[in-house]
Amino acid sequence: MSISSRSDEFVGLFSLFDQDGDGKISADEVEHVLASMAGVIAIEDRQALRDLVGCHGEVELAAFSGWAQGRPGLAIASCLREIFELVDSDGSGSLSFQELEVLLAALAPSCADLPEADRLLAALDRDGDNCISVEEFLQLLEADAVIELSLADLKRLKKTLAQYVSASSRSRVALVEVDCDLGAGTPGAGSGIDLLKQAAARQQGLRQISDRLIEEIKGQTRPGARAAELGSATSTPHARHIETIAGVMREAAALVASTLERGLFPIVIAGDHSTAAATIAGIRQAHPDRRLGVVWIDAHADIHSPYTTPSGNMHGMPLAIASAHDNTIEAINEPDSTTRLLWQELQYLNGTGSPSILLEDLIYVAVRDTEPAENFTLEHFSIPVITTDDVRRLGPEQAAQRCLDHLSQVELIYVSFDVDSMDSTICKGTGTPVPGGLWADEARQLTRSLLADPRVCCWEICEINPHLDSLNTLAEVSLSVYQDVLKVLDARL
């Protein structure tokens, strides 16, 4: 088995640029995608692609794949070198048996039939010194190597390790994971969290990091529920899987609250958006006497209730939970007694006896796919929406300031970033991509500007679904947003 370096590894990347699906990439298509991916694709790779299209007018898959093979920023060898540096936690220039175990643990969610660490060491250790040099590590490219991976697998692994390494020195930041995809229509979002956890599970250096950063990593049960484990059947069709999701939310709210009570800034990495209601409840639980505002960066309003939902998917309900808004005026459903009971419990999960937020303390960014019942709520309560066009017209920094100005009366702010807020050009790794969203650079600038406000006490990212992201484009973008968050917090905390 081997790591594939065939041209078909780049089919996913080619399709990203081939916007009209005609099997050719034009200069206009290249410019559109490069604009949306500004700051993510390396400058030298962007210019090289422009040069390629400029020479040929239009480029087909075969020519594109041949070009991509030779680009340092896209090549597998380059990605392997970056992974080597991330796994080499002691900076020795070689990988030990324990570090190889970390590598295999991080790969486990993506790859079947992985070898044991000792077999991998034996296969790669040509000089017999019981560790792996960079040159020996690059043997994974050879046809007789012992692991078979795609470029997407490697990029996903790089993201996993980079998130740990980049957070390792931040003593005031805590990563909180909420592993649930039951609230979404497309299962798989929760798998994105395993990419974070597996990297640190079996190696002492990263375990020490994770003890501080990742709640529940010591073998305790973490908040989580997977559709793959429970199946699609549900006895509560107007709030699908609410019994299981309610249990996840109780634990997640407690984790967020305890993180804040210890004086840490929680970065919440969630599967689907349903559990954002628990994050909000946890903030109010930790700060029951402080007024909380919400900046919701998303393609969707997520303010349905069991009374109004056309799908029953709870990832469309977190803001209705947080604000205790049933919207029965627009009701189309009559929820069962179990749903009604648990729904009310979740609305008051914060323990204060009142909703976690007021609808006047909510503002949306990039929302563009709403339904009639949600539109009624937005209009009735005058909830503002900063559109993608507004972000482009004002600039991301000024758009962020509009959000902060709207929340001038609140004492704390929670920022929730759903990756489907970004344009469907980028957003391949979510079950709900919508055209007309933010470009990567706009998302980063907007996030940086928001988190610079000292009232922002929690940031959440959700809906990363690696099963839908064939070349891991979205993971690359989300990692860049995440790293910008850490940089801003470095300056703030």
Side-chain angles (χ1 to χ4, degrees):
M1 295 187 290
S2 66
I3 293 179
S4 172
S5 58
R6 300 168 300 168
S7 61
D8 60 5
E9 284 294 325
F10 298 102
V11 171
L13 185 58
F14 179 84
S15 65
L16 180 69
F17 285 94
D18 182 16
Q19 295 285 288
D20 59 10
D22 66 353
K24 294 176 287 187
I25 296 175
S26 67
D28 287 345
E29 288 173 322
V30 166
E31 290 306 321
H32 176 79
V33 175
L34 291 181
S36 69
M37 298 282 283
V40 178
I41 298 176
I43 293 174
E44 56 270 23
D45 288 332
R46 296 204 304 267
Q47 189 56 50
L49 183 54
R50 288 188 177 107
D51 292 343
L52 177 72
V53 176
C55 289
H56 297 278
E58 292 182 321
V59 176
E60 296 184 353
L61 175 59
F64 177 85
S65 298
W67 166 83
Q69 291 277 10
R71 294 305 308 163
L74 300 173
I76 289 177
S78 174
C79 194
L80 278 174
R81 288 181 182 275
E82 292 178 275
I83 290 170
F84 181 94
E85 293 175 1
L86 291 166
V87 179
D88 181 20
S89 58
D90 59 5
S92 65
S94 61
L95 302 186
S96 66
F97 176 84
Q98 290 77 18
E99 287 166 333
L100 285 175
E101 284 191 311
V102 172
L103 174 69
L104 293 172
L107 286 171
S110 302
C111 307
D113 301 322
L114 286 173
E116 296 294 328
D118 54 357
R119 188 158 70 89
L120 180 60
L121 180 66
L124 298 178
D125 182 21
R126 290 185 174 175
D127 61 11
D129 65 351
N130 289 317
C131 59
I132 306 301
S133 66
V134 174
E135 292 73 21
E136 289 171 328
F137 190 63
L138 291 176
Q139 292 176 67
L140 287 169
L141 289 169
E142 298 180 1
D144 60 349
V146 292
I147 302 177
E148 185 170 351
L149 296 169
S150 67
L151 180 59
D153 292 327
L154 292 176
K155 289 191 173 226
R156 198 171 294 132
L157 173 61
K158 184 181 78 172
K159 170 182 172 286
T160 300
L161 297 170
Q163 286 189 297
Y164 272 107
V165 171
S166 61
S168 62
S169 61
R170 277 79 173 188
S171 60
R172 300 289 303 279
V173 171
L175 297 184
V176 177
E177 59 174 331
V178 183
D179 188 2
C180 178
D181 67 7
L182 286 176
T186 303
S191 301
I193 296 161
D194 274 344
L195 303 180
L196 290 173
K197 191 167 187 176
Q198 291 291 338
R202 297 173 64 188
Q203 197 264 348
Q204 185 59 37
L206 288 179
R207 185 180 298 122
Q208 291 171 352
I209 294 170
S210 67
D211 282 347
R212 184 177 76 248
L213 292 175
I214 305 291
E215 298 292 339
E216 303 281 359
I217 201 170
K218 300 175 185 177
Q220 303 167 17
T221 301
R222 71 184 189 272
R226 298 282 190 84
E229 297 166 0
L230 297 183
S232 60
T234 178
S235 60
T236 54
H238 303 308
R240 297 175 57 80
H241 302 294
I242 190 172
E243 292 177 286
T244 303
I245 292 173
V248 173
M249 287 192 187
R250 294 183 199 106
E251 295 180 44
L255 283 177
V256 171
S258 66
T259 299
L260 288 164
E261 287 162 357
R262 298 202 316 270
L264 301 176
F265 185 103
I267 293 179
V268 181
I269 300 176
D272 70 59
H273 222 165
S274 62
T275 57
T279 303
I280 296 171
I283 297 170
R284 279 300 312 279
Q285 185 177 325
H287 300 289
D289 299 322
R290 305 183 75 178
R291 185 171 170 182
L292 175 63
V294 173
V295 179
W296 196 263
I297 308 171
D298 198 328
H300 307 91
D302 291 346
I303 200 161
H304 271 299
S305 76
Y307 299 93
T308 66
T309 175
S311 69
N313 293 330
M314 289 196 67
H315 70 163
M317 305 184 191
L319 289 171
I321 295 173
S323 61
H325 176 60
D326 293 340
N327 195 14
T328 52
I329 294 174
E330 295 289 303
I332 61 172
N333 305 316
E334 183 61 39
D336 58 90
S337 59
T338 298
T339 295
R340 291 197 303 271
L341 181 65
L342 289 171
W343 177 253
Q344 186 172 30
E345 176 194 324
L346 291 176
Q347 289 179 321
Y348 298 96
L349 186 59
N350 62 51
T352 67
S354 61
S356 293
I357 61 168
L358 304 173
L359 287 177
E360 66 191 80
D361 295 333
L362 167 65
I363 186 167
Y364 289 113
V365 180
V367 165
R368 56 199 184 276
D369 186 12
T370 56
E371 292 167 318
E374 295 176 307
N375 293 334
F376 174 86
T377 296
L378 268 63
E379 182 177 351
H380 184 75
F381 291 94
S382 301
I383 302 172
V385 178
I386 306 295
T387 66
T388 301
D389 286 343
D390 292 334
V391 173
R392 302 229 165 101
R393 178 174 52 84
L394 298 169
E397 293 87 355
Q398 188 58 39
Q401 191 58 52
R402 288 276 183 96
C403 295
L404 298 172
D405 290 346
H406 177 73
L407 300 177
S408 61
Q409 301 303 307
V410 307
E411 299 164 273
L412 298 173
I413 296 174
Y414 157 69
V415 178
S416 189
F417 180 77
D418 189 321
V419 295
D420 72 17
S421 64
M422 294 185 288
D423 191 74
S424 54
T425 301
I426 306 168
C427 198
K428 303 295 184 184
T430 177
T432 52
V434 183
L438 300 171
W439 293 345
D441 198 45
E442 292 169 337
R444 292 204 312 272
Q445 291 181 55
L446 179 73
T447 300
R448 285 198 301 264
S449 299
L450 288 170
L451 266 73
D453 190 302
R455 294 176 297 163
V456 176
C457 64
C458 178
W459 179 77
E460 181 161 357
I461 185 169
C462 72
E463 301 279 17
I464 300 171
N465 189 338
H467 301 303
L468 300 177
D469 193 14
S470 61
L471 203 69
N472 223 35
T473 305
L474 181 58
E476 294 280 342
V477 176
S478 66
L479 177 58
S480 71
V481 176
Y482 167 90
Q483 289 173 327
D484 275 7
V485 167
L486 289 179
K487 289 176 185 176
V488 174
L489 295 178
D490 278 347
R492 253 192 57 190
L493 301 179

